[in-house]
């Protein structure tokens, strides 16, 4: 199948971006260099096109119940303008996807939500919501609006100053995970103080047709998915398809280190299985590690104990541009998960000494 393209594919190409396939989309991986873009976000501000992320809109009398029963966090905590990170799990408590749920202004008397599944999963997620809505006999409208909206992330310690310069209605007073509508260069957009870099910043959801006007309003470093990956690894954040995969590497929120998204006092698909797992404890968990020896850890590399017995697998790894050290994430038995524990990572057939580290690897907001 042909790759989907973001609305600014041509604009990015003219800027000299290099592209890569990601989740069925043709997305910019870098504009200048990963190091330049990474540094801009850590030290100043950069902007990412993340229009490959899904957009599912849910409203209606039973929208709160539908959202509650299909996501792991407590939807009742959300007032208009709030958002929360959550997992979407199957009956066994295995993560299907992770997502951010926004509570939009009500439509009439009905609570309204927008949630953001990962790239390439919007159709399957939309179908899941429709199927369960019908099975449970709930009254809710579920629309896949991925092709109607672009999404940009303005990230970095100076993101708030840049946002203040371009917005017609101030949003810099928003706390983390709060959102509201604002206008930028005549374009109304949903603006949230969220992001996936470990830095302060805002994510902007804007009508597809107005994407260019909003993008060009920001005079800062454009950034691709390459820098987004190194930034999120430093922040210890998960990547769907690498740090969890329902088919190839099934993991629960407790194994993946996002147990804080699980509200066991609520009812949702996978809740009972997760209650049992929470009570019994997990056998493996995701840890951060640093290589002590020279080398760069990559997805799929073996993790061994000091006696060279394979005990786990690297899920994400990079040479940290900020720390100038090779770092990674991977699953190991809980006996090896304590920070300071010595491990080995097999890099191109050679065992490299590693040490378990606390994540995030850097100070984050």
């Amino acid at each position: 199948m042909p790759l989907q393209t973001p609305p600014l594919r041509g604009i990015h190409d003219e800027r000299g971006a290099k592209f890569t396939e990601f989740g069925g989309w043709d997305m910019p991986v870098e504009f200048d260099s990963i190091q330049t873009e990474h540094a801009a976000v850590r030290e100043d501000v950069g902007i990412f096109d993340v229009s490959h992320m899904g957009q599912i809109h849910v409203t209606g009398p039973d929208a709160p119940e539908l959202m509650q029963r299909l996501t792991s966090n407590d939807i009742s905590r959300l007032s208009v303008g709030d958002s929360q990170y959550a997992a979407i799990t199957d009956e066994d408590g295995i993560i299907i996807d992770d997502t951010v749920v926004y509570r939009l202004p009500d439509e009439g008397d009905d609570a309204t939500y927008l949630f953001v599944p990962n790239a390439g999963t919007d159709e399957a997620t939309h179908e899941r919501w429709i199927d369960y809505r019908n099975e449970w006999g709930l009254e809710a409208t579920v629309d896949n609006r991925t092709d109607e909206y672009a999404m940009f992330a303005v990230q970095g310690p100076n993101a708030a100053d840049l946002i203040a310069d371009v917005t017609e209605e101030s949003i810099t007073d928003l706390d983390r995970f709060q959102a509201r509508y604002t206008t930028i260069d005549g374009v109304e957009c949903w603006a949230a103080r969220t992001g996936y870099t470990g830095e302060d910043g805002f994510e902007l959801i804007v009508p597809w047709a107005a994407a260019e006007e909003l993008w060009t309003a920001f005079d800062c470093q454009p950034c691709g998915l390459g820098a987004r990956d190194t930034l999120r690894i430093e922040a210890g954040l998960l990547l769907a398809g690498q740090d969890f995969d329902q088919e190839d590497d099934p993991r629960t929120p407790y194994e993946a280190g996002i147990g804080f998204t699980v509200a066991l006092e609520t009812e949702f698909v996978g809740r009972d299985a997760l209650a049992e797992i929470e009570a019994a404890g997990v056998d493996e968990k995701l840890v951060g590690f640093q290589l002590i020896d020279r080398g760069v850890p990559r997805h799929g590399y073996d993790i061994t104990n000091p006696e060279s017995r394979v005990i786990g697998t690297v899920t994400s790894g990079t040479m940290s541009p900020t720390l100038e050290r090779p770092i990674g994430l991977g699953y190991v038995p809980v006996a090896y998960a304590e920070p300071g524990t010595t491990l080995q990572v097999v890099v191109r057939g050679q065992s490299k000494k590693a040490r378990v580290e606390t994540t995030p690897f850097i100070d984050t907001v």
Side-chain angles (χ1 to χ4, degrees), residues 15-87:
R15 175 58 176 75
K18 297 177 182 177
F19 292 83
T20 189
E21 185 277 332
F22 189 84
W25 287 74
D26 191 26
M27 297 299 296
V29 65
E30 63 180 87
F31 288 85
D32 296 307
S33 73
I34 291 175
Q35 290 76 15
T36 296
E37 296 159 27
H38 183 107
V41 174
R42 285 281 179 253
E43 300 167 10
D44 186 13
V45 60
I47 185 170
F48 299 83
D49 185 347
V50 289
S51 300
H52 60 311
M53 303 296 284
Q55 309 279 343
I56 309 293
H57 184 272
V58 183
T59 191
D62 295 327
E65 181 178 354
L66 181 61
M67 293 300 300
Q68 183 59 79
R69 293 173 71 175
L70 289 175
T71 60
S72 65
N73 215 325
D74 186 354
I75 288 293
S76 69
R77 297 174 185 167
L78 297 182
S79 300
V80 172
D82 290 338
S83 64
Q84 65 183 197
Y85 182 51

Side-chain angles (χ1 to χ4, degrees), residues 95-160:
I95 304 170
I96 301 171
D97 203 357
D98 59 347
T99 189
V100 172
V101 180
Y102 299 101
R103 174 81 183 270
L104 300 179
D106 294 348
E107 295 188 1
D109 295 330
D110 297 332
T112 303
Y113 304 89
L114 182 74
F115 72 98
V116 182
N118 278 290
T121 67
D122 55 290
E123 292 184 1
T125 303
H126 179 247
E127 183 177 341
R128 178 179 180 83
W129 254 246
I130 293 292
D131 288 347
Y132 274 107
R133 179 201 64 185
N134 295 343
E135 178 182 335
W136 293 330
L138 299 179
E139 187 178 350
T141 300
V142 183
D143 294 323
N144 185 353
R145 298 188 175 179
T146 304
D147 292 339
E148 298 178 26
Y149 293 104
M151 186 172 182
F152 304 133
V154 181
Q155 302 283 295
N158 293 327

Side-chain angles (χ1 to χ4, degrees), residues 91-350:
E91 291 283 359
D92 297 319
I94 300 300
I95 304 170
I96 301 171
D97 203 357
D98 59 347
T99 189
V100 172
V101 180
Y102 299 101
R103 174 81 183 270
L104 300 179
D106 294 348
E107 295 188 1
D109 295 330
D110 297 332
T112 303
Y113 304 89
L114 182 74
F115 72 98
V116 182
N118 278 290
T121 67
D122 55 290
E123 292 184 1
T125 303
H126 179 247
E127 183 177 341
R128 178 179 180 83
W129 254 246
I130 293 292
D131 288 347
Y132 274 107
R133 179 201 64 185
N134 295 343
E135 178 182 335
W136 293 330
L138 299 179
E139 187 178 350
T141 300
V142 183
D143 294 323
N144 185 353
R145 298 188 175 179
T146 304
D147 292 339
E148 298 178 26
Y149 293 104
M151 186 172 182
F152 304 133
V154 181
Q155 302 283 295
N158 293 327
D161 291 340
L162 183 58
I163 285 285
D165 288 341
V166 300
T167 51
E168 296 179 21
E169 303 89 9
S170 176
I171 57 170
T172 56
D173 61 320
L174 291 173
D175 291 330
R176 288 284 292 170
F177 282 89
Q178 287 187 333
R180 65 170 170 262
Y181 283 107
T182 189
T183 305
I184 298 175
D185 202 22
V187 177
E188 185 181 64
C189 63
W190 181 251
R193 201 155 198 168
T194 51
Y196 218 62
T197 63
E199 297 293 338
D200 189 17
F202 298 80
E203 292 181 309
L204 309 170
I205 298 173
V206 58
W208 188 277
E212 184 174 352
E213 289 95 319
L214 191 138
W215 178 267
T216 56
F218 290 92
D219 183 15
C220 64
Q221 174 68 52
C223 303
L225 297 187
R228 192 167 186 256
D229 195 49
T230 56
L231 290 158
R232 67 92 192 166
I233 293 175
E234 289 182 348
L237 300 172
L238 305 178
L239 179 63
Q242 283 195 193
D243 299 308
F244 63 87
D245 187 294
Q246 186 186 14
E247 299 298 329
D248 296 333
D249 191 13
R251 298 291 177 177
T252 68
Y254 295 119
E255 291 174 298
I258 58 169
F260 63 88
T261 69
V262 178
L264 290 176
E265 68 275 17
T266 68
E267 291 296 331
F268 60 91
V269 174
R271 182 263 172 210
D272 291 347
L274 287 172
E276 293 180 7
I277 293 167
E278 194 272 340
V282 296
D283 295 326
E284 294 184 343
K285 63 188 300 186
L286 189 72
V287 299
F289 63 85
Q290 172 192 340
L291 284 195
I292 307 303
D293 295 334
R294 290 174 59 88
V296 179
R298 299 297 186 193
H299 175 77
Y301 286 4
D302 285 338
I303 300 173
T304 73
N305 65 9
E307 290 73 44
S308 298
R309 178 172 62 86
V310 175
I311 59 170
T313 304
V314 175
T315 57
S316 291
T318 191
M319 173 61 74
S320 164
T322 302
L323 304 173
E324 297 183 337
R325 304 197 310 254
I327 60 173
L329 304 171
Y331 289 97
V332 298
V334 293
Y336 294 91
E338 190 69 23
T341 302
T342 298
L343 303 171
Q344 295 181 149
V345 176
V346 182
V347 178
R348 297 182 177 181
Q350 296 185 329

